[in-house]
């Protein structure tokens, strides 16, 4: 993986192409227009996504689009959100309170499950990202992270040195445009709903991480066999965690777990 600071001057041709991106800020079609603008700036990605990672809840995808390929960005993010994000260390090189450009080849991902479930399954070969990592309250480490990701698919060549230099120069503009769009597109008064995992943890702080893992997947409609495969556990172990969690929550049936999350003021599927 390669990391660059956001300091390289942007090429004039790239700035002209990115004018369309700035013009689309705040519009419903921003995601598609932005990807087209990146192509005009000689940064041909087949797909892109913008998502946030939070210290205490599941990640949230704000934008995505594809160009010239079937759009599988939502499928990719669904797999990531179901648990792969917990082991994702690909953004660790960006210090808190800073921004940087990162380039990652699919074969550099240390997690085999991550490579297979997203990159191999959806034929992604390379990711180019601009990442902004925040600070937690009081300036401490552990704040949220905004990732803007461009993906090359297997029918495309890898990023050239010239493309990488161009992206590093345009990254500050791209980051500012995306942040401004999100600020305009997100209602100020609308607080994000608590995830099922967070609601269960608030309901019963004694639940262990594995008990929460099992309950979270039950709420997503997973089978016990699927949960066992995803968590690398045996089927009896999964059922033991479920039984312990249900005992702590005072439940007897899976339907009661859905009812519990609905009663706590949120949708069972986060």
């Amino acid at each position: 993986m390669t990391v660059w600071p956001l300091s390289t001057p942007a090429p004039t041709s790239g700035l002209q192409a990115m004018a369309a991106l700035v013009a689309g800020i705040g519009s419903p079609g921003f995601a598609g227009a932005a990807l087209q603008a990146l192509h005009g700036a000689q940064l041909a990605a087949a797909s892109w996504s913008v998502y946030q990672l939070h210290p205490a809840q599941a990640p949230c995808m704000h934008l995505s689009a594809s160009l010239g390929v079937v759009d599988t960005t939502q499928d990719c993010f669904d797999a990531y959100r179901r648990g792969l994000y917990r082991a994702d260390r690909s953004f660790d090189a960006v210090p808190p309170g800073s921004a940087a450009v990162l380039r990652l080849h699919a074969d550099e991902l240390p997690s085999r499950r991550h490579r297979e479930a997203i990159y191999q399954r959806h034929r992604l070969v390379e990711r180019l990202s601009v990442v902004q990592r925040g600070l937690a309250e009081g300036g401490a480490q552990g704040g949220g992270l905004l990732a803007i990701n461009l993906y090359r698919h297997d029918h495309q060549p890898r990023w050239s040195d010239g493309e990488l230099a161009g992206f590093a120069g345009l990254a500050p503009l791209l980051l500012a445009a995306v942040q401004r769009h999100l600020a305009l597109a997100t209602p100020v008064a609308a607080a994000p709903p608590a995830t099922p995992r967070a609601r269960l943890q608030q309901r019963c702080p004694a639940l262990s991480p594995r008990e929460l893992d099992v309950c979270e997947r039950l709420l997503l409609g997973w089978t016990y066999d699927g949960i066992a495969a995803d968590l690398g556990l045996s089927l009896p172990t999964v059922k033991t965690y479920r039984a312990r969690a249900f005992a702590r929550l005072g439940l007897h049936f899976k339907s009661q777990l859905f009812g519990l999350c609905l009663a706590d003021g949120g949708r069972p599927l986060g």
Side-chain angles (χ1 to χ4, degrees):
M1 183 171 67
T2 314
V3 183
W4 297 269
L6 271 66
S7 59
T8 307
T12 302
S13 59
L15 289 175
Q16 293 172 344
M18 295 293 276
L21 179 145
V22 175
I25 290 175
S27 69
F30 176 79
L35 188 57
Q36 289 277 8
L38 290 167
H39 275 247
Q42 306 304 311
L43 293 168
S47 59
W48 84 310
S49 66
V50 177
Y51 57 77
Q52 282 185 289
L53 297 174
H54 306 279
Q57 63 186 64
C60 174
M61 185 165 74
H62 296 291
L63 300 166
S64 72
S66 294
L67 188 61
V69 296
V70 175
D71 191 356
T72 61
T73 52
Q74 187 61 57
D75 290 339
C76 291
F77 187 74
D78 287 345
Y80 187 68
R81 189 180 184 278
R82 283 196 294 267
L84 294 174
Y85 72 92
R86 295 194 183 96
D88 185 8
R89 304 272 74 87
S90 64
F91 301 120
D92 286 0
V94 183
S98 65
V101 171
L102 293 84
R103 177 198 196 183
L104 178 76
H105 299 301
D107 53 14
E108 292 178 306
L109 285 163
S111 168
R112 179 178 59 84
R113 287 180 53 241
H114 196 157
R115 289 196 306 272
E116 291 178 351
I118 296 180
Y119 284 78
Q120 292 178 11
R121 181 180 180 185
H122 298 285
R123 304 170 69 178
L124 311 179
V125 296
E126 197 169 13
R127 186 186 77 198
L128 192 57
S129 306
V130 53
V131 178
Q132 173 75 62
R133 184 184 292 277
L135 292 171
E137 188 174 350
Q141 296 190 16
L145 178 147
L146 178 69
I148 303 169
N149 304 303
L150 280 63
Y151 301 97
R152 280 270 165 97
H153 292 229
D154 62 1
H155 68 282
Q156 297 177 295
R158 292 195 172 187
W159 303 101
S160 68
D161 290 342
E163 289 172 321
L164 295 173
F167 183 74
L170 292 171
L173 173 60
L174 178 61
L175 178 61
V178 167
Q179 290 175 322
R180 183 58 178 164
H181 174 78
L182 296 181
L184 291 173
T186 304
V188 175
T195 63
R197 187 184 186 93
R199 292 199 293 272
L200 289 171
Q201 205 161 21
Q202 291 169 358
R203 180 90 177 194
C204 181
L207 288 169
S208 72
R210 274 305 191 208
E211 289 164 0
L212 287 166
D213 288 340
V214 171
C215 287
E216 184 179 33
R217 284 159 177 75
L218 287 174
L219 287 166
L220 290 168
W222 286 44
T223 65
Y224 292 114
D225 287 331
I227 295 172
D230 187 57
L231 297 178
L233 303 173
S234 68
L235 184 59
T237 300
V238 168
K239 292 184 176 180
T240 296
Y241 282 126
R242 177 213 57 189
R244 290 177 183 172
F246 279 25
R248 295 185 197 277
L249 292 165
L251 307 177
H252 299 285
F253 306 105
K254 187 164 64 173
S255 60
Q256 292 176 307
L257 183 64
F258 285 84
L260 179 66
C261 283
L262 285 171
D264 281 348
R267 295 176 299 170
L269 301 180

